[in-house]
Amino acid sequence: MAMGSKRKTPPGILLLRRVRGRNWSPKTFRYAILLITFIAYACYHASRKPSSIVKSVLHPEPSTKPPQQEHINMRPWPLGNVFVKEEETDVLLRRGSANKGWEPFNGKGGTSRLGEIDVAFLACYSIGMYVAGHLGDSLDLRLFLTWGMIGSGFFVGLFGMGYFWNIHAFWFFLVMQMAAGLFQATGWPSVVAVVGNWFGKRKRGLIMGIWNAHTSVGNICGSLIAAGVLQYGWGWSFIAPGLVMSLGGVLVYLFLAAYPEDVGFPDINSNSGKFIKRRRDIEEEEEVEEVDVEDEGESSGSGQGYENKRSVGLLQACMIPGVIPFAMCLFFSKLVAYTFLYWLPFYLSQTTIGGEYMSVKTAGNLSTLFDVGGIVGGILAGYISDKFKARATTAATFMYAAIPAMLVYHSYGGVSQTVNVVLMMVAGLFVNGPYALITTAVSADLGTHKSLQGDSRALATVTAIIDGTGSAGAALGPLLTGFLSTLGWEAVFYMLVVGALCAGLLLTRLVIAEIREKLGYVDEVPACEPLLNERR
C-alpha cells in the first residue's frame, strides 16, 4: 500500500489546532516550514563536524610543535578565550594519553586512514542520495526525514562509543561512518523538496540563500559542541551531536507539514504560487482562508493531492535541461567546500599563525568563521541570481573568485590572527556561495521545471541527482587531502584551485546561454531553460 494513503497531519499540528481552535494561515505555515527544515538540516551538518574536530586528537602531529609553545596563552582575540586562549585541558590532551593518539589512527599512515574514514562516509552518502531522492518523491517526506535523522544520530553516537568501549578496530569506525552516511542521505533531498512544496519561484534564490545558512550554522554549532565536550573524551564529541540529531528527528515528526495538502491547502506549484485568490479586504481574506482550510482539511482528508502525484525516475530527471551541467559543477564545488569542512581545523592546528600554534579546541572554534563567510556568500549569491535572473553566471563567477581568495589565504593567512580570520571569511564567502545556490534554488527550480507536465514532480529526485553527484566530489576531496597533506599543504591548495576552476568551466555553456538571452537571442538559446527563469 502506498505510504501516501496512510499519511496524516503531523500530531503536533493537530494538537496546536485543537488548542487554538483553528488552523494556521499559509503565511504562518511557511515560516514554520522554514524554521523546522532549517533546524533539521543544521542538525545534519552539526553531526558531520566531530570527525574534523577530533582529527588532531586521534592523530597528533609527532613532535612538530616546540615544547615551549605548550604554555603560551594567545591573546584573547576576537571573542575572548573562546577562540585563542589555550586552556589547561588542551595541554592535558596533548600531554596525557591523547598525545599518543588513538589506534588505528595514530600510526604513520594515520592521516590516510582519517581520509579513508571521511571518504567512506561521503561515498555512502553520495550513493544513498540517488536512492533517497527517488524514495523522497514516493514516500511521506515527514516520516522519511524523521527516520533518517534518528538513524543518523544513532550511528554517529555509536562511533563515539568506540572511545568508551576501547575499540581500536578500524573496521568498526569504518562501518559506523558508512551507516551514518547512508542515513544522512535522507536529509537534503527531503528538506529541499519540502521547501519547494511551499514556496513558488519568486525570490526563491534569496529565500533559499537565507534558509541555506543552516549549513553553516550547523557547521558552527557542531564545531562548538564537539570542541566544548572534547575535554571529557573525544567520544563525547560524537555522542553529543548525535543526541541533538535524534531530538531534531522528533521535532520533524511532530510538526513538519511536508505538503500544503497535509493541512488542507492546495498544491502551490499547480496554483501559480498562491494558495487562494487575493481579496480587497486583507482581514476578510485571512478569515476566509482559515475557514477554507478547516473545511477542506476535514472533508478531503490530508494528503489527497499527494496521492495524485507520481515520482519521476532517475533517467527522466537527468534529461531535464540543466541537471547534468549543474550536477558536474557541484561535483567540484563540493570537493572544495568539503575539504575545508573536514580538514580546516586540522590545518589550523598544524600551522603557525602569528608565530604561534593553536590548540585543538581553538582551531575548531576558529574554523567556524569560514562558515560565517559562507552564510554571507549563500545569501549574496541567491540575491544576485534573483536580481539578474542568472543562476549559472552567478555560480561560475563565485567559483572563479574563490581561486585567488584561497591562494591569498594560504600565502598570507599565517601573518596574524586578524589577517587569517579576514581571509578565511572571504574564502568561505566565495567557496560556499555557489555550493549553496546550486543545492537550493537551482535544485528546486529544476525540480519544478516546466518540462515536467501534469502532476509529475521531481523535487527530491533532481535534488538527489545534483547533490549526490556533488557528494562524490565531496568524498574525493578529503580523501586526496589525506594523501596530499603528507607532501605539504601547498599541494592541497593547488588541488582546491584546480577544483574551483573546473567547477566554473563546466557552467560555461549555460553562462553563454544566459548572456545571449540578456542580449535578446532567446530564440537561439534553448539551453537557457535550465536557468530557471521562465517568464510567465
Side-chain angles (χ1 to χ4, degrees):
M1 181 178 293
M3 185 174 290
S5 61
K6 295 181 180 180
R7 204 179 72 241
K8 300 179 180 179
T9 301
I13 293 179
L14 286 176
L15 178 62
L16 290 176
R17 184 182 295 175
R18 288 173 186 153
V19 172
R20 296 181 73 244
R22 60 179 182 175
N23 202 15
W24 281 341
S25 67
K27 185 176 182 181
T28 303
F29 270 113
R30 280 175 159 171
Y31 285 134
I33 291 300
L34 286 178
L35 178 61
I36 295 172
T37 53
F38 186 99
I39 294 173
Y41 208 69
C43 291
Y44 272 96
H45 261 262
S47 66
R48 298 177 193 176
K49 285 298 292 184
S51 63
S52 67
I53 299 299
V54 304
K55 273 186 172 72
S56 295
V57 175
L58 299 177
H59 178 74
E61 193 74 10
S63 65
T64 58
K65 299 183 180 182
Q68 64 269 23
Q69 297 288 341
E70 294 276 6
H71 295 284
I72 289 180
N73 286 331
M74 301 169 72
R75 60 191 179 90
W77 189 100
L79 293 178
N81 60 9
V82 173
F83 282 147
V84 297
K85 182 178 178 182
E86 183 161 9
E87 300 180 2
E88 183 180 357
T89 54
D90 298 313
V91 178
L92 293 175
L93 280 172
R94 289 209 297 271
R95 288 186 167 182
S97 58
N99 72 334
K100 297 180 181 179
W102 188 270
E103 190 180 349
F105 304 107
N106 59 350
K108 184 177 180 181
T111 54
S112 297
R113 287 202 163 186
L114 289 171
E116 291 168 7
I117 285 290
D118 291 339
V119 78
F121 171 88
L122 291 168
C124 290
Y125 175 75
S126 177
I127 295 172
M129 187 75 71
Y130 294 98
V131 179
H134 184 66
L135 290 176
D137 279 327
S138 306
L139 306 178
D140 181 358
L141 285 171
R142 178 174 64 92
L143 298 180
F144 189 59
L145 190 59
T146 296
W147 287 112
M149 295 185 70
I150 293 176
S152 179
F154 175 73
F155 284 106
V156 169
L158 278 184
F159 189 101
M161 289 303 298
Y163 171 81
F164 299 99
W165 294 338
N166 199 30
I167 296 176
H168 298 276
F170 180 68
W171 67 265
F172 172 82
F173 300 106
L174 190 69
V175 170
M176 292 304 103
Q177 285 289 76
M178 292 172 68
L182 288 174
F183 277 96
Q184 286 260 335
T186 62
W188 191 240
S190 299
V191 294
V192 171
V194 170
V195 174
N197 288 337
W198 279 91
F199 289 86
K201 291 185 178 181
R202 185 173 178 268
K203 295 185 178 180
R204 180 177 274 173
L206 177 61
I207 292 173
M208 285 194 154
I210 298 173
W211 172 74
N212 192 66
H214 54 48
T215 297
S216 296
V217 170
N219 291 339
I220 293 171
C221 293
S223 296
L224 295 178
I225 293 173
V229 298
L230 185 60
Q231 58 185 309
Y232 305 109
W234 64 259
W236 283 110
S237 295
F238 288 87
I239 294 174
L243 179 61
V244 172
M245 179 75 159
S246 298
L247 292 176
V250 175
L251 174 68
V252 167
Y253 175 78
L254 292 176
F255 296 103
L256 182 66
Y259 311 87
E261 304 95 297
D262 285 358
V263 287
F265 295 105
D267 179 10
I268 188 174
N269 290 289
S270 62
N271 229 5
S272 302
K274 300 177 182 178
F275 289 107
I276 61 175
K277 295 181 179 180
R278 292 187 177 274
R279 308 292 177 89
R280 292 181 179 178
D281 189 340
I282 297 178
E283 294 180 0
E284 179 184 352
E285 174 186 340
E286 292 179 350
E287 182 179 352
V288 172
E289 184 178 74
E290 292 177 351
V291 172
D292 288 345
V293 169
E294 292 293 333
D295 293 340
E296 185 175 348
E298 293 176 4
S299 62
S300 61
S302 63
Q304 179 182 4
Y306 173 84
E307 294 176 11
N308 293 329
K309 296 180 181 179
R310 60 182 184 276
S311 62
V312 173
L314 288 175
L315 182 60
Q316 183 181 354
C318 287
M319 298 305 294
I320 297 174
V323 169
I324 298 302
F326 275 114
M328 293 307 301
C329 172
L330 191 62
F331 176 92
F332 290 100
S333 179
K334 288 192 74 169
L335 182 151
V336 176
Y338 269 65
T339 298
F340 279 99
L341 175 68
Y342 279 93
W343 285 94
L344 183 57
F346 186 79
Y347 170 74
L348 290 172
S349 67
Q350 302 302 327
T351 56
T352 58
I353 299 177
E356 299 175 336
Y357 283 97
M358 288 186 173
S359 69
V360 176
K361 181 177 180 179
T362 298
N365 291 335
L366 189 64
S367 68
T368 60
L369 294 177
F370 180 86
D371 292 294
V372 173
I375 294 175
V376 178
I379 296 173
L380 188 62
Y383 173 77
I384 293 174
S385 68
D386 275 346
K387 185 174 180 62
F388 296 100
K389 292 181 169 54
R391 305 280 202 234
T393 304
T394 303
T397 302
F398 269 66
M399 290 310 307
Y400 290 138
I403 295 175
M406 291 186 294
L407 291 176
V408 171
Y409 174 67
H410 175 58
S411 299
Y412 299 100
V415 172
S416 68
Q417 295 165 12
T418 304
V419 173
N420 186 281
V421 167
V422 172
L423 295 179
M424 184 194 303
M425 293 178 69
V426 171
L429 184 151
F430 289 117
V431 168
N432 283 355
Y435 161 41
L437 179 65
I438 295 173
T439 54
T440 54
V442 170
S443 296
D445 285 340
L446 293 178
T448 55
H449 194 266
K450 64 182 181 181
S451 64
L452 297 169
Q453 300 176 355
D455 289 328
S456 291
R457 303 274 303 170
L459 267 172
T461 302
V462 168
T463 301
I465 292 172
I466 293 177
D467 201 44
T469 304
S471 296
L476 181 61
L479 177 64
L480 291 177
T481 302
F483 293 101
L484 292 176
S485 61
T486 60
L487 304 176
W489 288 104
E490 190 174 44
V492 175
F493 276 86
Y494 283 146
M495 176 197 73
L496 297 177
V497 166
V498 172
L501 179 62
C502 291
L505 291 176
L506 283 165
L507 293 181
T508 300
R509 181 169 175 266
L510 301 182
V511 170
I512 294 174
E514 286 181 342
I515 294 175
R516 290 174 66 87
E517 182 189 18
K518 297 301 179 184
L519 296 176
Y521 299 103
V522 181
D523 56 330
E524 299 180 19
V525 284
C528 69
E529 284 189 2
L531 306 188
L532 340 156
N533 305 314
E534 301 96 285
R535 297 178 180 177
R536 304 294 179 182

